[in-house]
Amino acid sequence: MALVGFSLAAFMLLVPLPLKSRIGSAIGDLAHAPMFGGIFIAILLLWHRVSPLDQFGRAWLGRIALVTLCVFILGILVELAQTLTGRKAASHDVVANGLGILAAGMLCIAVLNYRYQPRRIWLSGLAALLAIGLVGIALTRPVRIIWDVLSVHRAYPSISSFERDWEMTRWHFDDCGGQIVSTHATDGSHAMRWSVRATEHPAATLVETVTDWSDAQSFEVDVTLAPTYPGIGGLYVKVIDHDHADYHEDVCRKQFLLTPGKTQHLVISREEIINGPDTRKLDLSNVKLVSLMLYRPEVPTWIDVDNLRVTTDQR
């Protein structure tokens, strides 16, 4: 049973995930703490079967400490090995592994203390509470991401308002970065500061949005170019459906000229979205991405972005 369990764990940890979405990754992250907690308990039980201990004391605590260290190192090695199988190593996975191991250790202490030292039931209760707390901390990140995935659909026709830090996990950045700020907010009290480098095409891409924009009359966004920028900025706003052949010509793209220090309301009409691709009509019922690209910025700069929204007939 241990061999089957370890083999299954190795398969789940090393084989590339079939779901390359935020919710798929979050579901995978949910498994890290319980999985490594289970590995910890399995190794401890196997050791106990080979060399039993008849009382709870320093020997048990020594075993728990040694197994904790070994399984934690195993978790780090697994994350490094993932880079060889097409997956990416993630520091938050290492943290989740460690929290799951510590939680399993606390659970073992609670059970062993209750079995061998029933008069010290307070220690079992404290260890059990610590185990529950550690598991809760480990599951917080994936649960919040799953919640944010669900909120994407509830918020439509609002696409992104940056009122929660977890909205930033919806974005992918090329030659740039993003963070939540409280300046130039036009919807609520926060916006995204999009920091770009002086490269060819720095782009911020919203990789998760509502797919069906069939009722859309326009797509709108508010932007503010840094007042220190030395000239007019050329911003391309793109709407991309699942049928796109490339990210340049077979998409809806519209250029806007940005004035430094001025908050501007940018609008792409329904007709412009549909007729955006060079050789076909864009499918509004199958939208995949929204992308912002600053064309050849002269110097590193920033743009505050807020209130990405689809307007509909019900507006």
Side-chain angles (χ1 to χ4, degrees):
M1 290 178 64
L3 180 61
V4 171
F6 291 146
S7 300
L8 181 61
F11 177 82
M12 294 177 64
L13 289 167
L14 295 176
V15 172
L17 294 173
L19 298 175
K20 295 186 180 298
S21 62
R22 275 201 311 158
I23 196 165
S25 298
I27 291 173
D29 290 344
L30 282 174
H32 273 269
M35 184 181 301
F36 275 83
I39 292 172
F40 171 92
I41 292 173
I43 293 175
L44 204 62
L45 289 176
L46 287 172
W47 192 353
H48 183 60
R49 286 192 62 119
V50 173
S51 178
L53 295 174
D54 56 2
Q55 62 180 350
F56 178 54
R58 291 182 179 180
W60 263 116
L61 292 175
R63 287 188 180 185
I64 289 172
L66 181 58
V67 174
T68 296
L69 178 62
C70 292
V71 178
F72 183 71
I73 293 174
L74 173 65
I76 295 175
L77 294 176
V78 166
E79 287 299 314
L80 296 176
Q82 286 181 349
T83 61
L84 304 176
T85 64
R87 294 175 62 171
K88 294 182 178 179
S91 58
H92 61 79
D93 286 344
V94 174
V95 173
N97 297 344
L99 291 171
I101 295 164
L102 290 175
M106 290 297 103
L107 182 61
C108 288
I109 290 174
V111 172
L112 290 168
N113 180 75
Y114 181 76
R115 178 179 179 182
Y116 293 108
Q117 303 287 344
R119 294 182 180 179
R120 296 189 303 183
I121 191 171
W122 63 269
L123 179 58
S124 294
L126 179 61
L129 287 175
L130 285 173
I132 294 172
L134 290 167
V135 171
I137 294 172
L139 300 184
T140 296
R141 182 181 185 276
V143 168
R144 291 188 69 176
I145 289 178
I146 291 173
W147 181 259
D148 188 65
V149 170
L150 298 176
S151 70
V152 168
H153 299 271
R154 292 196 305 269
Y156 182 84
S158 174
I159 301 300
S160 199
S161 62
F162 307 106
E163 294 305 300
R164 295 180 300 273
D165 291 342
W166 292 97
E167 286 191 38
M168 297 304 297
T169 63
R170 305 175 189 176
W171 291 81
H172 175 76
F173 298 97
D174 291 307
D175 293 327
C176 57
Q179 65 183 84
I180 299 293
V181 296
S182 57
T183 56
H184 303 115
T186 58
D187 178 36
S189 56
H190 295 89
M192 177 181 73
R193 174 148 296 180
W194 173 30
S195 301
V196 301
R197 305 170 192 163
T199 58
E200 188 80 5
H201 304 119
T205 302
L206 182 66
V207 297
E208 186 164 340
T209 184
V210 172
T211 301
D212 190 359
W213 290 17
S214 298
D215 59 350
Q217 297 304 304
S218 67
F219 172 71
E220 305 179 6
V221 58
D222 298 327
V223 298
T224 307
L225 178 61
T228 55
Y229 191 73
I232 299 298
L235 176 69
Y236 282 91
V237 179
K238 299 181 181 181
V239 179
I240 304 169
D241 63 3
H242 279 78
D243 297 328
H244 68 280
D246 58 59
Y247 291 95
H248 306 290
E249 297 179 352
D250 198 35
V251 301
C252 164
R253 62 198 183 282
K254 183 175 180 179
Q255 185 182 27
F256 298 90
L257 300 179
L258 305 186
T259 302
K262 179 182 178 181
T263 298
Q264 296 175 237
H265 182 69
L266 313 182
V267 179
I268 306 178
S269 69
R270 177 186 180 90
E271 291 72 21
E272 289 174 319
I273 298 174
I274 294 175
N275 296 317
D278 289 353
T279 59
R280 65 180 180 90
K281 303 291 186 181
L282 187 140
D283 186 359
L284 273 178
S285 67
N286 202 19
V287 173
K288 183 179 181 180
L289 306 169
V290 174
S291 186
L292 308 175
M293 185 193 77
L294 189 61
Y295 184 70
R296 295 182 178 177
E298 300 176 26
V299 296
T301 188
W302 53 261
I303 298 175
D304 284 347
V305 181
D306 197 19
N307 196 19
L308 285 84
R309 174 177 297 275
V310 169
T311 62
T312 66
D313 291 329
Q314 288 75 36
R315 179 179 175 177

